Coordinates of all heavy atoms in Angstrom, one line a residue:
N416 N 3.8 -10.7 8.8 CA 4.3 -9.5 8.1 C 5.5 -9.0 8.7 O 6.5 -8.6 8.1 CB 3.2 -8.4 8.1 CG 3.5 -7.3 7.1 OD1 4.0 -7.5 6.0 ND2 3.3 -6.1 7.5
L417 N 5.6 -9.0 10.1 CA 6.7 -8.4 10.8 C 8.0 -9.3 10.7 O 9.1 -8.9 10.8 CB 6.4 -8.1 12.2 CG 5.4 -7.0 12.4 CD1 5.1 -6.8 13.9 CD2 6.0 -5.7 11.9
L418 N 7.8 -10.6 10.4 CA 8.9 -11.5 10.2 C 9.7 -11.2 8.9 O 10.8 -11.5 8.8 CB 8.4 -13.0 10.1 CG 8.2 -13.7 11.5 CD1 7.5 -15.0 11.3 CD2 9.5 -13.9 12.2
E419 N 9.0 -10.4 8.0 CA 9.6 -10.0 6.8 C 10.4 -8.6 7.0 O 11.2 -8.2 6.2 CB 8.6 -9.8 5.7 CG 7.7 -11.0 5.4 CD 8.5 -12.1 4.8 OE1 9.5 -11.8 4.1 OE2 8.1 -13.3 4.9
I420 N 10.1 -8.0 8.1 CA 10.6 -6.6 8.3 C 11.5 -6.5 9.6 O 12.5 -5.8 9.5 CB 9.4 -5.6 8.5 CG1 8.5 -5.7 7.3 CG2 9.9 -4.2 8.6 CD1 7.2 -5.1 7.5
A421 N 11.1 -7.1 10.7 CA 11.7 -6.8 12.0 C 13.1 -7.5 12.1 O 13.4 -8.5 11.5 CB 10.8 -7.3 13.1
D422 N 13.9 -7.0 13.1 CA 15.1 -7.7 13.5 C 14.9 -8.6 14.7 O 15.5 -9.6 14.8 CB 16.2 -6.6 13.8 CG 16.5 -5.7 12.6 OD1 17.1 -6.2 11.7 OD2 16.1 -4.5 12.7
T423 N 14.0 -8.1 15.6 CA 13.6 -8.9 16.8 C 12.1 -8.9 17.0 O 11.5 -7.8 16.8 CB 14.3 -8.3 18.0 OG1 15.7 -8.4 17.8 CG2 14.0 -9.1 19.3
I424 N 11.6 -10.0 17.3 CA 10.1 -10.1 17.7 C 10.0 -10.6 19.1 O 10.6 -11.7 19.4 CB 9.3 -10.9 16.7 CG1 9.3 -10.2 15.3 CG2 7.9 -11.1 17.2 CD1 8.5 -11.0 14.2
I425 N 9.3 -9.9 19.9 CA 9.1 -10.3 21.3 C 7.7 -10.8 21.5 O 6.7 -10.1 21.1 CB 9.4 -9.2 22.3 CG1 10.9 -8.8 22.2 CG2 9.0 -9.4 23.7 CD1 11.3 -7.5 23.0
I426 N 7.5 -12.0 22.1 CA 6.2 -12.5 22.3 C 5.8 -12.5 23.8 O 6.6 -13.0 24.6 CB 6.0 -13.9 21.8 CG1 6.4 -14.0 20.3 CG2 4.6 -14.5 22.1 CD1 5.4 -13.3 19.4
G427 N 4.7 -11.9 24.1 CA 4.2 -11.9 25.5 C 2.7 -12.1 25.6 O 2.1 -12.4 24.6
G428 N 2.1 -11.9 26.8 CA 0.7 -12.0 26.9 C 0.2 -13.5 26.8 O 1.0 -14.4 26.9
G429 N -1.1 -13.6 26.7 CA -1.6 -15.0 26.7 C -1.2 -15.8 25.6 O -1.1 -17.1 25.7
M430 N -0.8 -15.2 24.4 CA -0.5 -16.1 23.3 C 0.9 -16.8 23.5 O 1.2 -17.7 22.8 CB -0.5 -15.3 22.0 CG 0.6 -14.2 21.9 SD 0.4 -13.5 20.2 CE 1.7 -12.2 20.3
A431 N 1.7 -16.3 24.5 CA 3.0 -16.9 24.7 C 2.8 -18.4 25.2 O 3.7 -19.2 25.0 CB 3.7 -16.1 25.8
Y432 N 1.7 -18.7 25.8 CA 1.5 -20.0 26.3 C 1.2 -21.0 25.2 O 1.5 -22.2 25.4 CB 0.4 -20.0 27.4 CG 0.7 -19.0 28.5 CD1 0.0 -17.9 28.6 CD2 1.8 -19.3 29.4 CE1 0.3 -16.9 29.6 CE2 2.1 -18.3 30.3 CZ 1.4 -17.2 30.4 OH 1.7 -16.2 31.4
T433 N 0.7 -20.6 24.1 CA 0.5 -21.5 23.0 C 1.9 -21.8 22.4 O 2.2 -23.0 22.0 CB -0.4 -20.8 21.9 OG1 -1.7 -20.6 22.4 CG2 -0.5 -21.7 20.7
F434 N 2.8 -20.8 22.3 CA 4.2 -21.1 21.9 C 4.9 -22.0 22.8 O 5.6 -22.9 22.4 CB 5.0 -19.7 21.8 CG 4.7 -19.0 20.5 CD1 3.7 -18.1 20.4 CD2 5.6 -19.1 19.4 CE1 3.5 -17.3 19.3 CE2 5.4 -18.4 18.3 CZ 4.3 -17.5 18.2
S435 N 4.7 -21.8 24.1 CA 5.3 -22.7 25.2 C 4.8 -24.1 25.0 O 5.6 -25.1 25.0 CB 5.0 -22.1 26.6 OG 5.6 -22.9 27.5
A436 N 3.5 -24.3 24.9 CA 2.9 -25.6 24.7 C 3.4 -26.3 23.4 O 3.7 -27.5 23.4 CB 1.4 -25.6 24.7
A437 N 3.6 -25.5 22.4 CA 4.1 -26.0 21.1 C 5.5 -26.6 21.2 O 5.9 -27.5 20.5 CB 4.1 -24.9 20.1
K438 N 6.3 -26.1 22.2 CA 7.6 -26.6 22.4 C 7.6 -27.7 23.4 O 8.7 -28.2 23.8 CB 8.5 -25.4 23.0 CG 8.8 -24.3 22.0 CD 9.4 -23.1 22.7 CE 10.7 -23.4 23.3 NZ 11.3 -22.2 24.0
G439 N 6.5 -28.2 23.8 CA 6.4 -29.3 24.7 C 6.3 -28.9 26.2 O 6.3 -29.8 27.1
G440 N 6.1 -27.6 26.5 CA 6.0 -27.2 27.8 C 4.7 -27.4 28.5 O 3.7 -27.6 27.8
Q441 N 4.6 -27.4 29.8 CA 3.4 -27.5 30.6 C 2.9 -26.1 30.9 O 3.6 -25.3 31.4 CB 3.7 -28.3 31.9 CG 4.2 -29.7 31.7 CD 3.3 -30.6 30.9 OE1 2.1 -30.7 31.2 NE2 3.8 -31.2 29.9
V442 N 1.6 -25.9 30.5 CA 1.0 -24.5 30.7 C -0.1 -24.5 31.7 O -0.8 -23.5 31.8 CB 0.6 -23.9 29.3 CG1 1.8 -23.8 28.4 CG2 -0.5 -24.8 28.6
G443 N -0.4 -25.7 32.3 CA -1.4 -25.7 33.3 C -2.8 -25.3 32.8 O -3.2 -25.8 31.7
D444 N -3.4 -24.3 33.5 CA -4.7 -23.8 33.0 C -4.6 -22.5 32.2 O -5.6 -21.8 32.1 CB -5.6 -23.6 34.2 CG -5.9 -24.9 35.0 OD1 -5.7 -26.0 34.4 OD2 -6.4 -24.9 36.1
S445 N -3.4 -22.2 31.8 CA -3.2 -21.0 31.0 C -4.0 -20.9 29.7 O -4.4 -22.0 29.2 CB -1.7 -20.8 30.7 OG -0.9 -20.8 31.9
L446 N -4.2 -19.8 29.2 CA -4.9 -19.6 27.9 C -4.1 -20.4 26.9 O -2.9 -20.2 26.7 CB -4.9 -18.1 27.6 CG -5.8 -17.7 26.3 CD1 -7.2 -18.1 26.5 CD2 -5.6 -16.2 26.1
L447 N -4.7 -21.2 26.1 CA -4.1 -22.1 25.1 C -4.9 -22.3 23.9 O -6.1 -22.6 24.1 CB -3.7 -23.4 25.7 CG -3.2 -24.5 24.8 CD1 -1.9 -24.1 24.2 CD2 -3.0 -25.8 25.5
E448 N -4.4 -22.0 22.8 CA -5.1 -22.3 21.5 C -4.4 -23.6 20.9 O -3.4 -23.5 20.2 CB -5.0 -21.1 20.5 CG -5.7 -19.9 21.0 CD -5.6 -18.8 19.9 OE1 -4.6 -18.2 19.9 OE2 -6.6 -18.5 19.2
E449 N -5.0 -24.7 21.3 CA -4.5 -26.0 20.9 C -4.3 -26.1 19.4 O -3.3 -26.7 18.9 CB -5.4 -27.1 21.4 CG -4.9 -28.5 21.3 CD -3.8 -28.8 22.3 OE1 -3.9 -28.4 23.4 OE2 -2.8 -29.5 21.9
D450 N -5.2 -25.6 18.6 CA -5.2 -25.7 17.2 C -4.1 -24.9 16.5 O -3.9 -25.0 15.3 CB -6.6 -25.3 16.6 CG -7.7 -26.2 17.0 OD1 -7.4 -27.3 17.4 OD2 -8.8 -25.9 16.8
W451 N -3.5 -24.0 17.3 CA -2.5 -23.1 16.7 C -1.0 -23.4 17.1 O -0.1 -22.7 16.9 CB -2.8 -21.6 17.1 CG -4.0 -21.2 16.5 CD1 -5.3 -21.2 17.0 CD2 -4.2 -20.6 15.1 NE1 -6.2 -20.7 16.0 CE2 -5.5 -20.4 14.9 CE3 -3.2 -20.3 14.1 CZ2 -6.0 -19.8 13.7 CZ3 -3.7 -19.8 12.9 CH2 -5.1 -19.6 12.7
K452 N -0.9 -24.6 17.8 CA 0.5 -25.0 18.2 C 1.4 -25.2 17.0 O 2.6 -24.8 17.0 CB 0.4 -26.2 19.1 CG -0.1 -25.9 20.5 CD -0.5 -27.1 21.3 CE 0.4 -28.3 21.3 NZ -0.1 -29.4 22.2
D453 N 0.9 -25.9 16.0 CA 1.7 -26.1 14.8 C 2.1 -24.8 14.1 O 3.3 -24.6 13.7 CB 1.0 -27.0 13.7 CG 0.9 -28.4 14.2 OD1 1.6 -28.8 15.1 OD2 0.0 -29.2 13.6
Y454 N 1.2 -23.9 14.1 CA 1.5 -22.5 13.6 C 2.6 -21.9 14.4 O 3.5 -21.2 13.8 CB 0.2 -21.7 13.6 CG 0.5 -20.2 13.2 CD1 0.7 -19.8 11.9 CD2 0.7 -19.3 14.2 CE1 1.0 -18.5 11.6 CE2 1.0 -18.0 13.9 CZ 1.1 -17.6 12.6 OH 1.5 -16.3 12.3
A455 N 2.5 -22.0 15.7 CA 3.5 -21.3 16.5 C 4.9 -21.9 16.2 O 5.9 -21.2 16.1 CB 3.2 -21.6 18.0
N456 N 5.0 -23.2 16.0 CA 6.3 -23.8 15.7 C 6.7 -23.4 14.3 O 7.9 -23.2 14.1 CB 6.1 -25.4 15.7 CG 6.2 -25.9 17.1 OD1 6.9 -25.4 18.0 ND2 5.6 -27.1 17.4
D457 N 5.8 -23.2 13.4 CA 6.2 -22.7 12.1 C 6.8 -21.3 12.1 O 7.7 -21.0 11.4 CB 4.9 -22.7 11.1 CG 4.5 -24.1 10.7 OD1 5.2 -25.0 10.9 OD2 3.3 -24.2 10.3
M458 N 6.2 -20.5 13.0 CA 6.7 -19.1 13.2 C 8.1 -19.1 13.8 O 9.0 -18.3 13.4 CB 5.8 -18.3 14.1 CG 4.4 -18.0 13.4 SD 4.6 -17.1 11.9 CE 4.4 -18.4 10.7
V459 N 8.4 -20.0 14.7 CA 9.7 -20.1 15.3 C 10.7 -20.5 14.2 O 11.8 -20.0 14.1 CB 9.7 -21.2 16.4 CG1 11.1 -21.4 16.9 CG2 8.8 -20.7 17.6
K460 N 10.3 -21.5 13.4 CA 11.2 -22.0 12.3 C 11.4 -20.9 11.3 O 12.6 -20.6 10.8 CB 10.6 -23.2 11.6 CG 11.5 -23.8 10.6 CD 10.9 -25.0 10.0 CE 11.9 -25.7 8.9 NZ 12.3 -24.8 7.9
K461 N 10.4 -20.2 10.9 CA 10.5 -19.1 9.9 C 11.4 -18.0 10.4 O 12.2 -17.5 9.7 CB 9.1 -18.5 9.6 CG 9.0 -17.5 8.5 CD 7.6 -17.1 8.2 CE 7.6 -16.1 7.0 NZ 6.2 -15.7 6.7
A462 N 11.3 -17.7 11.7 CA 12.2 -16.6 12.3 C 13.6 -17.1 12.2 O 14.5 -16.3 11.8 CB 11.8 -16.4 13.7
A463 N 13.9 -18.3 12.5 CA 15.3 -18.8 12.5 C 15.8 -18.8 11.0 O 16.9 -18.4 10.8 CB 15.3 -20.2 13.0
D464 N 14.9 -19.2 10.1 CA 15.4 -19.2 8.7 C 15.7 -17.8 8.2 O 16.6 -17.6 7.3 CB 14.3 -19.8 7.8 CG 14.1 -21.3 8.1 OD1 15.0 -21.9 8.7 OD2 13.0 -21.9 7.7
K465 N 15.0 -16.8 8.7 CA 15.1 -15.4 8.2 C 16.2 -14.6 9.1 O 16.4 -13.5 8.8 CB 13.8 -14.7 8.2 CG 12.8 -15.2 7.1 CD 11.6 -14.4 7.1 CE 10.8 -14.7 5.8 NZ 11.4 -14.3 4.6
G466 N 16.7 -15.3 10.1 CA 17.6 -14.6 11.0 C 17.0 -13.5 11.9 O 17.7 -12.6 12.3
V467 N 15.7 -13.7 12.2 CA 15.0 -12.8 13.1 C 15.0 -13.4 14.5 O 14.7 -14.6 14.7 CB 13.5 -12.6 12.6 CG1 12.8 -11.7 13.6 CG2 13.5 -12.0 11.2
K468 N 15.4 -12.6 15.5 CA 15.4 -13.1 16.8 C 14.0 -13.1 17.3 O 13.2 -12.1 17.2 CB 16.2 -12.1 17.8 CG 17.7 -12.1 17.6 CD 18.3 -11.1 18.5 CE 19.8 -11.0 18.3 NZ 20.4 -10.0 19.2
L469 N 13.5 -14.3 17.8 CA 12.2 -14.4 18.3 C 12.3 -14.8 19.8 O 12.8 -15.9 20.2 CB 11.4 -15.6 17.6 CG 10.0 -15.8 18.0 CD1 9.1 -14.6 17.7 CD2 9.4 -17.0 17.3
L470 N 12.0 -13.8 20.6 CA 12.1 -14.0 22.1 C 10.8 -14.4 22.7 O 9.8 -13.8 22.5 CB 12.6 -12.7 22.7 CG 13.9 -12.1 22.2 CD1 14.3 -10.8 22.9 CD2 15.1 -13.1 22.3
L471 N 10.9 -15.5 23.5 CA 9.8 -16.0 24.2 C 10.1 -15.9 25.7 O 11.2 -15.9 26.1 CB 9.5 -17.5 23.8 CG 9.1 -17.7 22.3 CD1 9.2 -19.2 22.0 CD2 7.7 -17.1 22.0
P472 N 9.0 -15.9 26.6 CA 9.2 -15.8 28.0 C 10.1 -17.0 28.5 O 10.0 -18.1 28.1 CB 7.8 -15.9 28.6 CG 6.9 -15.4 27.5 CD 7.6 -15.9 26.2
V473 N 11.0 -16.7 29.5 CA 11.8 -17.7 30.1 C 11.2 -18.1 31.5 O 11.6 -19.1 32.1 CB 13.3 -17.3 30.2 CG1 13.9 -17.2 28.8 CG2 13.4 -16.0 31.0
D474 N 10.4 -17.2 32.0 CA 9.7 -17.4 33.3 C 8.4 -16.7 33.2 O 8.1 -15.8 32.4 CB 10.5 -17.1 34.5 CG 10.9 -15.6 34.6 OD1 10.7 -14.9 33.6 OD2 11.4 -15.1 35.6
T475 N 7.5 -17.1 34.2 CA 6.2 -16.5 34.1 C 5.6 -16.4 35.6 O 5.9 -17.2 36.4 CB 5.2 -17.3 33.2 OG1 3.9 -16.7 33.2 CG2 5.1 -18.7 33.8
V476 N 4.8 -15.4 35.8 CA 4.0 -15.2 37.0 C 2.7 -16.0 36.9 O 1.9 -15.7 36.0 CB 3.8 -13.7 37.3 CG1 3.0 -13.6 38.7 CG2 5.1 -12.9 37.4

Side-chain angles (χ1 to χ4, degrees):
N416 193 42
L417 291 178
L418 278 170
E419 304 291 334
I420 305 165
D422 299 292
T423 300
I424 293 179
I425 292 171
I426 302 292
M430 67 177 179
Y432 304 108
T433 298
F434 277 88
S435 181
K438 292 169 63 180
Q441 299 300 310
V442 298
D444 297 342
S445 303
L446 188 62
L447 170 64
E448 291 182 287
E449 190 72 38
D450 294 345
W451 291 93
K452 283 164 48 175
D453 288 344
Y454 170 80
N456 279 329
D457 289 344
M458 291 301 98
V459 172
K460 183 178 184 303
K461 186 174 179 180
D464 291 344
K465 290 185 170 292
V467 177
K468 289 181 185 176
L469 182 65
L470 302 183
L471 298 168
V473 295
D474 62 349
T475 183
V476 180

